[in-house]
Amino acid sequence: MTKYFNSYSIGNTSIICPYCHVYAQFDWSVQQKLNSKPKEYRLIVAKCNSCHLDSVWFQNLQSKEETLMFPDYPSGLDAPNSDMPNNIQQIYIEAAKVLKDSPRASAALSRLAIDQLTQQFSSESSLDRRIADLVSKGLSSKLQKAFDIVRIVGNNAVHPGEIDLKDNQEMAKSLLSLLNMITDNLITQPNQIDKFYNSLPERQLKHIEKRDSKKN
């Protein structure tokens, strides 16, 4: 997956914008060279040509390592799965934005994301029941565990229990990774299989349909 948090390259004119999350052209401008022995840095402002917002960077002139200073996002997060429904992508992005300042808020938003995602696959009244319904329809045990991790940790974020999320950024970050995994399994992989299957010759597809009709 594409990493858009803290994974850029100064001088590369196209990156994923930390604001609008679009792979866009950027205009880079060096504002100032900073001396701090034994290291030297330069301050760089980059303007996204899609949303026209500025981001601020430090570049270590020795290692060429760049650090995004503003807006302030946690490092190492994947972009939301492109097959994730738009409303859930927005929740994912919001959860990523608040993760550094409030892991509990981020975890609660991750739980909200899977709550809304499961509503597309089950009409049961609660998240717990929808997970059980998906299991009865063939959801794998590993995916069930992923759902329950996000559900339980997210619940603890809202109703304090045995899991303390006050300063646990790594646990809150893992929920976003699980959300991408869940989307990949429920949406991306089936879509890819359907695409490949539908590309088979029509004669073969009719043969499969006839074969399977004999089973009923």
Side-chain angles (χ1 to χ4, degrees):
M1 292 186 178
T2 304
K3 292 185 180 298
Y4 58 75
F5 296 115
N6 200 26
S7 62
Y8 309 88
S9 179
I10 299 297
N12 184 353
T13 57
S14 297
I15 62 172
I16 296 180
C17 177
Y19 289 102
C20 64
H21 312 287
V22 170
Y23 189 74
Q25 291 284 317
F26 270 68
D27 295 325
W28 304 91
S29 59
V30 177
Q31 299 298 308
Q32 187 175 357
K33 186 176 179 181
L34 306 171
N35 292 314
S36 178
K37 299 298 184 182
K39 297 178 180 179
E40 291 185 329
Y41 298 88
R42 60 179 178 176
L43 183 66
I44 300 173
V45 174
K47 181 182 291 290
C48 174
N49 288 340
S50 176
C51 65
H52 306 293
L53 293 176
D54 291 332
S55 52
V56 181
W57 307 74
F58 270 145
Q59 183 184 48
N60 184 320
L61 293 178
Q62 279 71 44
S63 67
K64 302 301 180 182
E65 179 181 357
E66 300 98 18
T67 302
L68 176 63
M69 303 303 296
F70 181 84
D72 187 15
Y73 288 118
S75 62
L77 282 179
D78 288 318
N81 186 308
S82 59
D83 290 320
M84 198 178 287
N86 288 335
N87 63 317
I88 299 172
Q89 282 195 33
Q90 293 306 309
I91 297 172
Y92 181 107
I93 292 169
E94 184 180 353
K97 287 180 177 179
V98 302
L99 191 152
K100 193 170 183 179
D101 292 326
S102 179
R104 287 184 295 183
S106 180
L109 286 165
S110 292
R111 187 206 177 280
L112 174 63
I114 65 161
D115 184 271
Q116 294 194 9
L117 182 61
T118 54
Q119 290 179 36
Q120 300 194 20
F121 298 92
S122 173
S123 60
E124 292 292 332
S125 58
S126 70
L127 175 58
D128 194 35
R129 290 182 178 180
R130 286 195 292 275
I131 294 172
D133 186 34
L134 289 173
V135 170
S136 71
K137 295 174 180 176
L139 186 75
S140 71
S141 60
K142 288 186 178 180
L143 208 56
Q144 170 260 309
K145 290 177 182 178
F147 270 115
D148 280 324
I149 290 168
V150 181
R151 178 181 65 84
I152 292 169
V153 175
N155 283 344
N156 274 260
V158 179
H159 307 290
E162 298 177 7
I163 303 173
D164 185 8
L165 276 166
K166 185 176 180 181
D167 298 310
N168 199 333
Q169 290 186 27
E170 287 304 313
M171 181 170 286
K173 186 188 294 186
S174 71
L175 301 188
L176 292 170
S177 296
L178 288 172
L179 182 56
N180 267 336
M181 293 179 194
I182 287 168
T183 303
D184 182 69
N185 277 269
L186 284 183
I187 300 176
T188 303
Q189 291 182 26
N191 285 349
Q192 289 177 340
I193 291 171
D194 285 344
K195 179 181 178 181
F196 295 145
Y197 181 83
N198 291 330
S199 69
L200 293 174
E202 185 177 356
R203 180 174 61 84
Q204 297 297 332
L205 291 174
K206 289 182 177 179
H207 170 75
I208 294 170
E209 182 181 351
K210 182 178 180 180
R211 178 201 65 193
D212 292 345
S213 66
K214 295 179 180 178
K215 298 179 181 178
N216 301 323

